Amino acid sequence: MECESAKQASQIEVKRNNFFFLKNAFEVILKNKAATLGLCIILFLILISIFGKFIMPYNPYLGNLSDSLKAPSAAHLFGTDEQGRDILSRIIDGTRISLRVGVVSVAIALSLGTVFGSLAGYYGGKVDLIVMRFMDMILAFPSLLLAIAFMSALGKGIDKAIIAISIVTIPEYARIVRSCILSVRDSEYVQAAKVIGNSDSAIIFKHILPNILSPIIVRATLGISTAILETSALGFLGLGVQPPYAEWGSMLGSGRGYFFNAPYLVWFPGIAITITVLAFNLFGDGLRDALDPKFRK
């Protein structure tokens, strides 16, 4: 009974400490104006991606050739493209696609990278050598170039773009997780977990990973902006999300031929990409300051 009471008290204390830690981190983010701005923009983009279909002034996939290449006006705030489709509606619809690719690709890369990095960092030796040399092979190629190669092999489409971007970013998370595990592998609480008979998987996922989440979360937040940029680059080259989907990169690629007579075809998708990437970077920097005491001012 006393052991059970001590265990429950310990769990309550851990939850209490986690609550105050998160509260303090949130307060640090709110004091950082740049991070707060980034968070507000991200929340706005999420709302747009969820409720965008209710606020689109036009169908983003239907156009009228008689309205093609019309400059921004009261009827079409961002103008129309070469097929007469409303650019504002396509930008709104593209928010959902870009966030989907960014979040899902990072989630897949983070999951696989965590597994590989945990195995390499915890077991070391030959396991570490094999896993990390494989990660180094992937890192030896520029990520965009490797993503283009995977897209050429897999084909075009949203799902293929997610897979390609996920594969090329796995090594980043694997290296971060490995380095974090190496720093705590010999800690007292890990040794205590071994002594009481916990399995290796329980030690890794119940004891080690919860204590090294901060750098992983920060890198994942910044990784979403990188994934969105790579998605846009693939779309610009005609290898990513394919028409009629309104992806920002493909909109840039189709509008570059009209840069001099209809520059707004390039301006607005480019501004959307810039604002989104900047928002995730600002929030990621603020999150780093909030979660890592070394960066707090």
Side-chain angles (χ1 to χ4, degrees):
M1 291 295 292
E2 292 181 0
C3 293
E4 287 294 328
S5 300
K7 185 177 180 181
Q8 291 178 358
S10 176
Q11 292 176 347
I12 293 173
E13 183 66 21
V14 169
K15 291 180 180 179
R16 181 172 176 271
N17 291 336
N18 289 336
F19 171 77
F20 283 110
F21 176 77
L22 293 175
K23 179 184 177 184
N24 184 46
F26 185 69
E27 291 175 351
V28 173
I29 291 176
L30 291 181
K31 291 179 181 178
N32 188 329
K33 294 182 180 179
T36 304
L37 175 61
L39 177 60
C40 291
I41 294 175
I42 291 172
L43 293 176
F44 175 74
L45 293 173
I46 293 173
L47 291 175
I48 288 293
S49 65
I50 296 174
F51 302 105
K53 59 183 179 180
F54 301 110
I55 62 175
M56 292 179 190
Y58 301 92
N59 188 314
Y61 302 114
L62 296 180
N64 188 346
L65 291 178
S66 61
D67 293 331
S68 62
L69 299 179
K70 283 194 172 182
S73 62
H76 300 278
L77 294 180
F78 287 3
T80 60
D81 62 8
E82 68 278 6
Q83 298 184 30
R85 296 172 297 191
D86 183 64
I87 295 177
L88 175 58
S89 300
R90 291 180 64 76
I91 295 252
I92 293 174
D93 190 62
T95 304
R96 173 180 56 85
I97 296 173
S98 295
L99 290 183
R100 173 189 169 188
V101 175
V103 172
V104 175
S105 61
V106 167
I108 295 174
L110 177 60
S111 301
L112 295 177
T114 299
V115 172
F116 289 130
S118 299
L119 293 175
Y122 185 77
Y123 291 105
K126 292 183 179 180
V127 176
D128 184 21
L129 181 65
I130 294 172
V131 171
M132 296 317 297
R133 293 301 76 77
F134 181 69
M135 296 295 113
D136 290 339
M137 287 173 57
I138 298 177
L139 287 173
F141 299 92
S143 59
L144 182 58
L145 193 62
L146 193 58
I148 291 173
F150 280 119
M151 290 298 296
S152 301
L154 296 172
K156 302 174 182 178
I158 297 178
D159 296 337
K160 308 298 190 304
I162 291 175
I163 294 173
I165 295 172
S166 300
I167 293 174
V168 301
T169 52
I170 287 175
E172 299 180 15
Y173 301 103
R175 291 172 71 91
I176 291 174
V177 173
R178 173 184 176 270
S179 63
C180 291
I181 288 183
L182 286 175
S183 65
V184 301
R185 186 175 60 181
D186 298 324
S187 299
E188 293 180 357
Y189 68 89
V190 176
Q191 300 303 320
K194 290 181 180 179
V195 170
I196 63 176
N198 282 310
S199 63
D200 291 342
S201 60
I203 293 173
I204 293 173
F205 292 102
K206 291 184 179 180
H207 298 281
I208 295 180
L209 288 180
N211 288 285
I212 60 172
L213 281 179
S214 296
I216 299 174
I217 293 174
V218 172
R219 185 63 193 91
T221 304
L222 296 172
I224 294 176
S225 65
T226 304
I228 292 174
L229 269 180
E230 292 183 348
T231 303
S232 301
L234 291 173
F236 181 81
L237 296 173
L239 297 172
V241 181
Q242 297 298 297
Y245 290 108
E247 195 274 321
W248 295 335
S250 61
M251 291 175 66
L252 276 174
S254 61
R256 60 184 171 179
Y258 304 92
F259 182 78
F260 293 102
N261 59 331
Y264 49 86
L265 292 181
V266 177
W267 287 348
F268 294 115
I271 291 173
I273 295 172
T274 302
I275 291 176
T276 303
V277 171
L278 180 62
F280 278 101
N281 285 337
L282 291 176
F283 179 65
D285 288 340
L287 195 60
R288 179 199 60 188
D289 297 344
L291 297 179
D292 193 341
K294 293 186 297 184
F295 291 98
R296 291 183 185 175
K297 296 181 181 178

